[in-house]
Amino acid sequence: MTVESMSKQSATRIALMGMLSVAVAIGIGRFAFTPLLPVMLNESWLSLAEACWLAESNLLGYFLGAILCSLIPGSWLRLTGRQAPDEILALAGLAATAALTLGMAVPWPELWPWLRFLSGIASALAFVFTSSWCLRRLAQQSSTSLAGLIYCGSGVGIVLGGVLVSATVSMGWGAAAGWKLLGCLVGLLVLWIGYELRRGHRQVSRRDNVGDSTRAAASAPQSVARPVESPVPHSLSRSVESLAESLTDTLGSGVGLGWLMFAYGLAGFGYVITATFLPVMAREVIPGSEWVDWIWPIYGISAALGCLASTRMPAHWDNSRLLAVCYFTQSVGVVMGLWWPGVAGFVLSSVLVGTPFTALTLFAFREVRLRWPHNSTSVIGLMTAVYAIGQILSPPLFGALLRSGISHSLVFAWSLHTASAALLMGGLIWFLAARPLPVRNAMRV
């Protein structure tokens, strides 16, 4: 086997591990609640208002986890003088996700909000640090074309969760059995990911040890002549200055980081109600239809295929314009079930909201790496936090409408039309943000 083929095989394994990690962190860790919610409502585990509170708890945890992700790299560098071990942090988040998913099978309702809260923290840690180490490792092997496979994991996890829950329901098992089944699946995936990470780390260490001895002998005189400086203060000041410059950008010189973070937060606000209550809405509008159990898996399949399609798009296409298209597509999708209240309408809603779901994240993070290459991990963490804020604001609106006493149909109608308007606004911001950056022009060449 040639060196080139070995490198390609290693890059494929990295992308596969990233995909399964995101499947665990997002597809199951965060979204397992969606297909199990109708079962829990049917078994009187909770009410729709209580379900809204559980969703809010998970989103609050995700927000806190995203904040931690933005702080950990700088704090770790300041305390240890080394880069944060993103692989280890990602694996820790995945292991916590497995334990917390299993914990939801325990019939103690007073613990469920805390379990969902902690699950949100674990999901954010696993997602951000998986993105960081996978993108870094793929870039080192000149295989960034495989990066799209990582974010297909959200759709893959949603499909796995939806199919397993449908199988659980068809066999007459309850919600507790569904949580146990998903928790065991997550545990097995985490064990495999940990094994592969350890094996890959050993291979890299062996190669680095051989290369380091040669490089050390060649660079020894230069090392003696060069003064030793502490890298921490300079690195931190450079990151702060870069973020400050980005935040002070004006529309006259292009849309800056503040506007892009706001637009990314609108994406979080816009999709949450659909992604949380889509199966519940479908059961109310088309009760008894055999398509009801497939609405959520179709969402996941669409998300995976949309992400795969995004990787086939030419690299010189502007990420901001692609993001605008994603937002506009989702804005139509979230209200499609209202405009066309039937099987076709809900299937189309799943496709239109699901297809841009992971592609949107890929385009946004890729744009971050182009605009802020030296502190992309921190910026990704900040944008994930703002995305989480958008998500957090959506369930309270939904809950307030529920408590107002109006019918469920009006609650869904008002919430989804508000979400559609937010997505339209976010898409407009990304469209205005499109501009020819020097780094993008260099990539085109």
Side-chain angles (χ1 to χ4, degrees):
M1 183 178 291
T2 64
V3 175
E4 183 179 356
S5 62
M6 290 177 63
S7 177
K8 186 65 175 178
Q9 185 182 48
S10 177
T12 302
R13 187 172 68 249
I14 291 170
L16 179 60
M17 285 191 295
M19 182 184 70
L20 292 179
S21 297
V22 173
V24 169
I26 303 298
I28 297 178
R30 289 204 55 219
F31 289 117
F33 181 66
T34 299
L36 281 167
L37 178 56
V39 184
M40 297 174 74
L41 291 172
N42 187 55
E43 295 179 355
S44 299
W45 278 34
L46 40 69
S47 65
L48 192 58
E50 290 169 338
C52 187
W53 169 236
L54 285 183
E56 179 74 2
S57 299
N58 184 258
L59 297 173
L60 285 170
Y62 192 75
F63 169 72
L64 179 59
I67 292 294
L68 290 175
C69 290
S70 68
L71 297 176
I72 286 175
S75 300
W76 197 285
L77 183 63
R78 184 173 64 254
L79 294 174
T80 67
R82 294 179 297 176
Q83 298 294 327
D86 44 14
E87 296 180 6
I88 296 176
L89 292 169
L91 190 60
L94 294 172
T97 299
L100 294 166
T101 302
L102 278 172
M104 284 297 295
V106 178
W108 294 344
E110 62 275 8
L111 289 180
W112 293 342
W114 291 104
L115 292 174
R116 296 305 295 161
F117 174 77
L118 294 174
S119 181
I121 295 177
S123 295
L125 290 172
F127 178 64
V128 171
F129 286 108
T130 292
S131 299
S132 178
W133 77 261
C134 282
L135 293 176
R136 172 175 53 82
R137 292 283 299 277
L138 290 176
Q140 290 171 352
Q141 301 197 26
S142 301
S143 299
T144 54
S145 60
L146 295 175
L149 290 176
I150 301 171
Y151 301 106
C152 291
S154 296
V156 171
I158 289 172
V159 173
L160 286 175
V163 170
L164 287 177
V165 171
S166 296
T168 299
V169 173
S170 65
M171 290 185 290
W173 297 352
W179 284 112
K180 291 177 183 177
L181 186 62
L182 291 176
C184 290
L185 173 64
V186 169
L188 292 175
L189 291 176
V190 172
L191 288 175
W192 181 82
I193 292 167
Y195 169 77
E196 288 291 333
L197 280 175
R198 187 173 182 180
R199 187 178 71 167
H201 182 69
R202 287 177 175 175
Q203 293 174 350
V204 171
S205 297
R206 284 197 296 267
R207 291 196 299 266
D208 289 347
N209 288 336
V210 175
D212 288 345
S213 60
T214 304
R215 288 191 296 269
S219 61
Q222 298 178 3
S223 299
V224 174
R226 185 179 295 114
V228 178
E229 297 180 0
S230 174
V232 178
H234 179 65
S235 176
L236 288 174
S237 62
R238 183 172 62 247
S239 298
V240 172
E241 290 174 1
S242 177
L243 285 175
E245 291 175 1
S246 300
L247 288 169
T248 55
D249 279 348
T250 61
L251 287 173
S253 60
V255 179
L257 177 60
W259 280 103
L260 300 187
M261 289 173 64
F262 176 67
Y264 199 59
L266 290 175
F269 179 87
Y271 90 98
V272 166
I273 297 300
T274 301
T276 304
F277 298 104
L278 182 62
V280 176
M281 290 186 288
R283 288 180 184 275
E284 288 193 1
V285 176
I286 48 175
S289 173
E290 60 183 9
W291 283 92
V292 168
D293 292 331
W294 289 100
I295 295 298
W296 186 240
I298 289 173
Y299 182 98
I301 293 171
S302 300
L305 293 179
C307 193
L308 279 177
S310 68
T311 64
R312 308 296 297 176
M313 296 178 181
H316 65 270
W317 284 11
D318 190 272
N319 295 313
S320 298
R321 290 191 174 93
L322 292 173
L323 282 162
V325 173
C326 290
Y327 277 62
F328 296 151
T329 301
Q330 282 195 325
S331 70
V332 176
V334 296
V335 292
M336 185 56 64
L338 300 174
W339 294 351
W340 194 353
V343 172
F346 278 98
V347 170
L348 193 56
S349 177
S350 297
V351 172
L352 293 178
V353 179
T355 300
F357 177 59
T358 47
L360 187 149
T361 300
L362 174 62
F363 295 144
F365 286 4
R366 195 164 67 185
E367 185 70 7
V368 166
R369 291 179 66 83
L370 287 173
R371 291 178 181 245
W372 302 279
H374 299 297
N375 57 332
S376 59
T377 300
S378 295
V379 176
I380 286 174
L382 287 172
M383 292 190 71
T384 304
V386 175
Y387 189 85
I389 291 175
Q391 295 176 123
I392 290 170
L393 295 177
S394 196
L397 169 65
F398 186 79
L401 292 174
L402 282 175
R403 290 189 296 271
S404 67
I406 62 178
S407 65
H408 286 178
S409 60
L410 283 178
V411 170
F412 283 121
W414 291 356
S415 299
L416 293 178
H417 279 101
T418 302
S420 179
L423 287 166
L424 285 173
M425 183 185 302
L428 180 60
I429 293 174
W430 279 110
F431 182 79
L432 294 175
R435 61 178 180 175
L437 294 174
V439 66
R440 183 179 290 118
N441 291 337
M443 288 182 64
R444 290 177 180 174
V445 175

